[in-house]
DNA sequence: GCGTAATTTGTCATTTTTTGGCATATAAAA
DNA sequence: TTTTATATGCCAAAAAATGACAAATTACGC
């Protein structure tokens, strides 16, 4: 499970080291050092490749020319980039994603159990403040669990 | 699998380099460097030759005189061009297709699993904005899958 | 058919981006 | 504090993308 928050620096070439706890989890639980980075709301979302593959498998069986499914595929798959964790524990975040999310000098890793997110530090801090109120509301959802 | 988004420049003669990840996939999975480019909605659609063959196969089993299927066939097959990836990893996009889709200085490659699309950068960006809401909605579909 | 112009192709040079690996710095653990 | 693990900075090498140009091919008018 991916848990916790880590702030790491990003190199000029767009490389950043994945938190070692996340790497351990990837290795033990998923036996991979491949990730899929995609986009979701205000951050990059990262899936272990095996998890992502399940999703693609289902998608690949949808009709090729039906409008809804094509659009769905385009945005889901079109934003999905495969990244390998190198021998130093780093990934390189594709420049398109860095641009889209304003990720420049440092980024925040946020654990989300079976996936994790990468945020621009600025956006993350802003979002924290504004989400406190929302959090109160999401309590209600949690109660149902 | 073809995944992700790449922006590449296009030469005066209409040549553009296919993203290296796509080339790898073509080589490994399909053992070909031939593509079929055709038209669909607002972009050029590109199939590895073996995938295209499957598609033709399916098309050939559709009723021969039904209006919709004939029209669809005419559109898809009639616009199909075979392209070879050269030693530098480039294809040349036929000028008809470039005109049709307003592809001038640069183009966006969008992965779609077993095929990919080539968009004019302008059109792609417009399309992104208008489809942002749909995109958010399609994320919810993931949860259901 | 032939000659000319336009387009396409092959090849190499240049630029830009990505990668691999090591050295240093920082943080965590003993 | 010392040791160990983790993260970062740096640089050279490799790969990828782009640019440029000449040769080959095709299209077109006569």
């Amino acid at each position: 499970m991916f848990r916790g928050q880590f702030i790491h620096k990003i190199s000029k070439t767009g490389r950043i080291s994945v938190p070692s706890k996340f790497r351990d989890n990837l290795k033990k639980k998923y036996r991979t050092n491949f990730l899929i980075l995609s986009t979701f709301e205000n951050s990059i979302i990262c899936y272990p490749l095996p998890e992502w593959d399940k999703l693609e498998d289902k998608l690949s069986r949808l009709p090729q020319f039906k409008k809804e499914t094509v659009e769905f595929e385009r945005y889901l798959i079109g934003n999905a980039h495969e990244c390998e964790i190198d021998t130093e524990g780093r990934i390189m975040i594709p420049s398109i994603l860095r641009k889209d999310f304003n990720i420049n000098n440092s980024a925040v890793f946020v654990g989300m159990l079976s996936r994790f997110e990468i945020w621009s530090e600025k956006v993350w801090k802003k979002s924290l403040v504004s989400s406190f109120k929302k959090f109160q509301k999401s309590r209600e959802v949690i109660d149902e669990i």
Side-chain angles (χ1 to χ4, degrees), chain A residues 34-38 45-49 52 56 80-83:
Chain A
F34 283 93
L35 290 170
I36 298 287
L37 310 198
S38 188
I45 189 163
C46 311
Y47 295 85
L49 187 56
W52 182 264
E56 276 190 357
H81 292 256
E82 185 180 299
C83 294

Side-chain angles (χ1 to χ4, degrees), chain A residues 89-121:
Chain A
R90 297 166 302 190
I91 53 170
M92 123 106 177
I93 303 178
S95 61
I96 285 193
L97 296 181
R98 274 179 281 146
K99 269 185 210 156
D100 285 355
F101 294 101
N102 247 291
I103 293 176
N104 296 101
N105 301 309
S106 57
V108 185
F109 287 83
V110 184
M112 298 281 281
L113 299 182
S114 62
R115 61 191 193 279
F116 58 91
E117 297 178 341
I118 303 176
W119 289 71
S120 139
E121 212 183 330

Side-chain angles (χ1 to χ4, degrees), chain A residues 51-64:
Chain A
E51 287 288 316
W52 182 264
D53 280 344
K54 284 187 214 164
L55 175 66
E56 276 190 357
D57 216 57
K58 283 166 190 163
L59 279 181
S60 68
R61 273 188 275 276
L62 298 176
Q64 278 183 71

Side-chain angles (χ1 to χ4, degrees), chain A residues 133-145:
Chain A
K133 291 165 200 165
K134 289 180 200 162
F135 176 54
Q136 297 302 331
K137 203 171 182 188
S138 31
R139 278 275 175 189
E140 291 161 23
V141 183
I142 295 175
D143 287 344
E144 286 163 30
I145 296 179

Side-chain angles (χ1 to χ4, degrees), chain A residues 4-128:
Chain A
Q5 240 180 79
F6 307 86
I7 298 176
H8 283 181
K9 294 196 175 150
I10 191 161
S11 79
K12 285 161 201 160
T13 62
R15 292 201 290 195
I16 193 168
S17 64
V18 175
S20 68
K21 290 191 179 178
F22 289 6
R23 277 166 11 219
D24 289 349
N25 188 230
L26 275 166
K27 210 173 182 181
K28 266 191 204 152
K29 190 159 179 215
Y30 298 101
R31 313 202 160 279
T32 183
N33 43 30
F34 283 93
L35 290 170
I36 298 287
L37 310 198
S38 188
T39 60
F40 181 58
E41 293 178 349
N42 300 316
S43 71
I44 297 172
I45 189 163
C46 311
Y47 295 85
L49 187 56
E51 287 288 316
W52 182 264
D53 280 344
K54 284 187 214 164
L55 175 66
E56 276 190 357
D57 216 57
K58 283 166 190 163
L59 279 181
S60 68
R61 273 188 275 276
L62 298 176
Q64 278 183 71
F65 295 109
K66 203 178 173 188
K67 205 175 176 188
E68 295 80 25
T69 62
V70 169
E71 279 179 358
F72 181 50
E73 213 180 320
R74 185 174 297 136
Y75 293 104
L76 210 63
I77 306 298
N79 284 305
H81 292 256
E82 185 180 299
C83 294
E84 188 177 6
I85 297 176
D86 71 14
T87 52
E88 308 285 308
R90 297 166 302 190
I91 53 170
M92 123 106 177
I93 303 178
S95 61
I96 285 193
L97 296 181
R98 274 179 281 146
K99 269 185 210 156
D100 285 355
F101 294 101
N102 247 291
I103 293 176
N104 296 101
N105 301 309
S106 57
V108 185
F109 287 83
V110 184
M112 298 281 281
L113 299 182
S114 62
R115 61 191 193 279
F116 58 91
E117 297 178 341
I118 303 176
W119 289 71
S120 139
E121 212 183 330
K122 277 191 188 173
V123 178
W124 172 251
K125 281 179 182 163
K126 268 190 208 165
S127 165
L128 270 186

